[in-house]
């Protein structure tokens, strides 16, 4: 009987595995198709200064075409990394975001564009040249461009990644460590790499409120990070209470559904027309 159960379990896993495998292959093929058809979309989530309450920049976030089934970036970005489509996809993101930055930069000189960069892209020698090409083409200042990377880029201590990051930083691009506080949260990572900005992961906000344990973590982390000289951004700010707490802690910038979700460029522009952009 137990033998039978074991067999059943194995075939269950096998089915599960086959399902996941075919789903991955399907998404992979669709990514190729979407790249070819220029069907991906780029949305922008406004970033607010706690000092002025004004928008100082945006984070570019990729969106699957408006079609069924709809996949989230958390599902299709890792797949694009595994099949190395992320270089091509990433170049489309960079070109699109920087063309848009050229427009918004005319409205506010130090307006910033944050772009998420996968570790796989950092391993590619072409990345630096691609960025330099774009800033020349659009007459952009590298300081207005923030590259968001996660700690997964550091775990293998990959020399190619370190070299690319150092070169980008020397060129004047700003580097943000994304999702800090949810994974490794290593102090060594903070001191070994050319990081300018640390983004506190949205999971730290979930229980909100100054009384929660999460609030103590945010308080302790932001104190340490500010003392180390980093600019600090809080992600996933959804309530007024969370915002006031970030403001009290002198966290520099906030992002979250309380202010705005990621929007198409035209909708972000409408928001700008209403709010006045400010520099830095
Ligand atoms: P991320 O870079 O940490 O981006 C923040 C995510 O949190 C976004 O999800 C955003 O929509 C969401 N978010 C913003 N405010 C709130 C809030 O107040 N509450 C909650 N619950 N969520 C909020 P999204 O757009 O689904 O992206 C997920 C992840 O996919 C990103 O996390 C990033 O790691 C990756 N990603 C997105 N676009 C790109 C891209 O162009 N290139 C690469 N390599 N990765 C990307
Ligand atoms: Mg990000
Ligand atoms: Mg994040
Ligand atoms: Mg993330």
């Amino acid at each position: 009987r137990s033998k039978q159960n074991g067999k059943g379990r194995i075939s269950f896993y096998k089915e599960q595995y086959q399902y996941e495998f075919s789903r991955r292959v399907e998404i992979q093929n669709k990514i190729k198709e979407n790249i070819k058809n220029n069907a991906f979309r780029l949305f922008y989530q406004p970033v607010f200064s706690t000092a002025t309450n004004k928008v100082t920049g945006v984070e570019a976030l990729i969106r699957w075409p408006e079609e069924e089934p709809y996949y989230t970036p958390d599902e299709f970005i890792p797949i694009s990394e595994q099949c190395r489509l992320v270089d091509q996809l990433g170049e489309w993101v960079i070109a699109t975001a920087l063309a848009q930055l050229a427009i918004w930069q005319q409205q506010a000189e130090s307006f910033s564009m944050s772009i998420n960069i996968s570790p796989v892209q950092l391993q590619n020698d072409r990345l630096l040249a691609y960025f330099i090409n774009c800033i020349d083409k659009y007459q952009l200042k590298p300081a207005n461009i923030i590259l968001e990377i996660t700690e997964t880029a550091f775990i293998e201590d990959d020399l190619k990644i370190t070299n690319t990051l150092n070169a980008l930083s020397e060129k004047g691009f700003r580097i943000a460590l994304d999702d800090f506080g949810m994974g490794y949260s290593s102090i060594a990572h903070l001191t070994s790499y050319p990081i300018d900005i640390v983004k506190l992961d949205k999971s730290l906000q979930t229980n909100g409120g100054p009384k929660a344990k999460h609030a103590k973590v945010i308080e302790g982390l932001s104190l340490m990070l500010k003392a180390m000289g980093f600019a600090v951004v809080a992600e996933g700010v959804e309530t007024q209470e969370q915002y006031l707490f970030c403001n009290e802690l002198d966290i520099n910038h906030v992002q979250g559904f309380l202010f705005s979700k990621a929007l198409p460029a035209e909708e972000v522009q409408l928001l700008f027309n209403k709010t006045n952009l400010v520099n830095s």
Side-chain angles (χ1 to χ4, degrees), residues 42-43 45 59-63 70 72-78 80-81 86 89-90 92-94 115-119 121 148 150 178-179 199 201-202 206 235-239 242 255-262:
L42 204 56
F43 278 24
Q45 186 181 35
E59 176 177 1
L61 293 160
I62 196 166
R63 292 289 177 264
Y70 181 86
T72 65
D74 280 326
E75 183 164 19
F76 73 80
I77 292 288
S80 77
E81 289 171 342
V86 76
L89 191 59
W92 174 81
V93 169
I94 294 165
I115 302 176
N116 292 285
I117 304 289
S118 133
Q121 290 175 272
E148 297 196 3
T150 58
D178 206 353
D179 302 345
K199 299 188 76 173
D201 190 67
K202 57 176 177 285
T206 40
E235 296 189 283
V237 175
E238 293 179 355
T239 70
Q242 290 167 346
Q255 248 179 290
F257 296 163
L258 176 65
F259 308 97
S260 176
K261 59 181 184 180

Side-chain angles (χ1 to χ4, degrees), residues 56-167:
T56 58
V58 290
E59 176 177 1
L61 293 160
I62 196 166
R63 292 289 177 264
W64 193 259
E66 237 176 330
E67 63 177 33
E68 297 298 325
Y70 181 86
Y71 299 103
T72 65
D74 280 326
E75 183 164 19
F76 73 80
I77 292 288
I79 293 172
S80 77
E81 289 171 342
Q82 284 154 23
C83 60
R84 284 224 76 128
L85 286 168
V86 76
D87 296 282
Q88 224 183 324
L89 191 59
E91 286 184 358
W92 174 81
V93 169
I94 294 165
T96 307
L98 295 186
Q100 188 59 55
L101 177 60
I103 296 169
W104 285 333
Q105 201 179 245
Q106 288 169 2
Q107 300 167 48
E109 226 189 331
S110 359
F111 193 77
S112 68
M113 176 66 71
S114 298
I115 302 176
N116 292 285
I117 304 289
S118 133
V120 177
Q121 290 175 272
L122 292 171
Q123 284 169 331
N124 189 334
D125 296 324
R126 284 168 27 138
L127 185 72
L128 176 68
Y130 194 83
F131 264 112
I132 291 175
N133 225 326
C134 285
I135 60 171
D136 287 347
K137 179 170 173 194
Y138 296 114
Q139 300 288 300
L140 302 170
K141 284 176 276 182
N144 291 356
I145 299 161
I146 299 169
L147 311 185
E148 297 196 3
I149 55 167
T150 58
E151 283 186 287
T152 50
F154 304 143
I155 50 179
E156 275 172 25
D157 205 10
D158 185 317
L159 195 62
K160 269 195 166 165
I161 291 183
T162 313
N163 288 343
T164 308
L165 275 180
N166 285 333

Side-chain angles (χ1 to χ4, degrees), residues 202-220 245:
K202 57 176 177 285
S203 64
L204 297 176
Q205 300 285 347
T206 40
N207 292 334
K211 282 176 230 115
K213 250 186 196 158
H214 284 275
K216 287 292 166 204
V217 176
I218 294 175
E219 185 177 348
F245 189 54

